[in-house]
Amino acid sequence: MEALFWTLVLLSQVLGLAGVILIATWLSEHGGGYDWECRSGIGGYHYLLMTIGMAFLYAEGILSFRVCHRLRLPYVGEKAVHATIQSIVIILIGIGIHAAFVCKDSRPTELAGKDMYSLHSWLGMGTIVLFFGQWIYGIVMTVALRRLDRSWQDRLLPNHAFFGLLVFALSIGSCVTGANEMAIYFVESYNQIVPAGHLANAYGICLVVFAAIVSFVAYRPDFQIPESRRHPEGATAVPTSEHAAVAAYSISGSSKVTAEKFDHHDLHQHDRLSHDVGAELPHTTYGATEQTSFKELREKDANDEV
């Protein structure tokens, strides 16, 4: 399985870099080169920077946790790599969007007022808005989870993962529609099957296959990092399983009981002691509490009896 993982990661890198090289070549050879004011063509900075940022580097951010885990980086290091990649993406987005509007404002008068008209424009802007929402969500989630029970992790983390892949899919769609728009409007005789058209099509196909591989690696459960690795702070927290070790809890401030497994007798005894003494089980953040564990055990026993 590890061999398959590294094979797919390597293939994704090849396709991602191939897409960047193809768009850079197309812009240089057929798009008029790189010009902030678009005097000699379409201005290449927007297309190149958005491909590098929202397609290639964004995918690197998706893969970073899985790759860093296999390279045995500390968990803090994994998060630092992920955050660094996303920060670079933000910088490239800012420069790329600036380049797009500067280019359009420099066009002749007859082409003025065409901002946010094409499908590519709407997809691109919607993707950027969702990306910044996802970025803020990730920051808030990282800070909040340190103070919340593990049940909140189960609610928040899947949302972050889903919207991450959604933003990535929209990014690829924006790049592909942008390439098609460039080919139709700026390649002479595009409908006559010219080399410039083939180059633009190859760029789009590269990105689509690249996105499929990255999404497969991100989605496949075998390639995801273990729960304990993703939440090392919860190593001392009580798992929500009757087969997991249960942390020590105190009754009346003096007695402590530890166990690895609770049978029915232990569970009922704990309930009686807690009821008689009136002691409250301590709250454990970033993981399930003892109270949650016993509740789940009681629910499981009730289901088994039914």
Side-chain angles (χ1 to χ4, degrees):
M1 194 60 65
E2 287 298 297
L4 176 61
F5 172 82
W6 287 112
T7 300
L8 292 175
V9 169
L10 178 61
L11 183 57
S12 71
Q13 301 306 293
V14 172
L15 289 171
L17 290 174
V20 172
I21 294 172
L22 285 172
I23 190 63
T25 303
W26 193 95
L27 292 168
S28 177
E29 299 295 329
H30 306 286
Y34 301 95
D35 182 6
W36 284 103
E37 297 182 356
C38 304
R39 289 186 296 266
S40 59
I42 63 176
Y45 289 109
H46 169 72
Y47 297 95
L48 179 62
L49 292 176
M50 298 306 285
T51 298
I52 296 174
M54 289 300 293
F56 182 69
L57 286 182
Y58 191 85
E60 298 296 284
I62 293 175
L63 298 175
S64 62
F65 277 107
R66 292 158 180 79
V67 172
C68 290
H69 166 64
R70 285 164 175 80
L71 296 178
R72 301 187 181 278
L73 265 68
Y75 185 70
V76 175
E78 296 174 6
K79 293 183 72 69
V81 171
H82 182 76
T84 300
I85 293 174
Q86 298 293 61
S87 299
I88 296 173
V89 171
I90 290 174
I91 295 173
L92 295 180
I93 288 175
I95 300 174
I97 291 296
H98 174 73
F101 283 102
V102 167
C103 181
K104 290 184 178 182
D105 292 341
S106 303
R107 288 179 176 178
T109 306
E110 61 272 14
L111 296 178
K114 302 298 183 182
D115 293 340
M116 302 305 300
Y117 171 72
S118 66
L119 177 62
H120 166 70
S121 299
W122 282 104
L123 273 179
M125 191 56 66
T127 302
I128 291 171
V129 171
L130 282 177
F131 169 79
F132 277 100
Q134 170 79 346
W135 181 64
I136 295 172
Y137 184 91
I139 294 176
V140 173
M141 183 185 65
T142 300
V143 175
L145 285 183
R146 297 182 179 275
R147 295 175 171 83
L148 295 175
D149 189 83
R150 177 167 290 178
S151 60
W152 281 97
Q153 299 177 40
D154 298 335
R155 299 174 187 176
L156 297 179
L157 286 173
N159 294 334
H160 188 61
F162 167 77
F163 281 103
L165 288 178
L166 176 61
V167 171
F168 180 54
L170 291 174
S171 299
I172 299 300
S174 300
C175 291
V176 171
T177 54
N180 195 49
E181 182 179 293
M182 286 189 305
I184 292 175
Y185 289 104
F186 299 105
V187 175
E188 295 183 3
S189 304
Y190 174 71
N191 59 346
Q192 300 300 318
I193 310 179
V194 293
H198 286 306
L199 198 60
N201 294 339
Y203 161 74
I205 292 173
C206 251
L207 287 191
V208 170
V209 179
F210 168 71
I213 294 175
V214 171
S215 299
F216 178 79
V217 173
Y219 173 79
R220 189 177 176 90
D222 297 339
F223 296 154
Q224 295 177 2
I225 63 177
E227 179 78 12
S228 59
R229 178 69 171 177
R230 288 192 287 117
H231 309 299
E233 299 89 339
T236 59
V238 180
T240 56
S241 171
E242 63 177 336
H243 299 290
V246 180
Y249 63 88
S250 61
I251 297 181
S252 70
S254 58
S255 301
K256 292 186 177 181
V257 180
T258 59
E260 291 186 354
K261 293 184 180 180
F262 279 87
D263 57 18
H264 295 281
H265 175 73
D266 294 324
L267 181 59
H268 296 320
Q269 183 179 17
H270 170 271
D271 290 340
R272 289 196 302 273
L273 289 172
S274 298
H275 180 269
D276 294 338
V277 178
E280 292 185 358
L281 293 174
H283 175 70
T284 304
T285 58
Y286 220 151
T289 62
E290 287 94 344
Q291 189 173 9
T292 304
S293 296
F294 288 118
K295 179 180 178 181
E296 290 188 356
L297 288 174
R298 286 193 293 269
E299 291 176 352
K300 184 177 185 301
D301 292 338
N303 292 334
D304 292 340
E305 292 175 359
V306 174

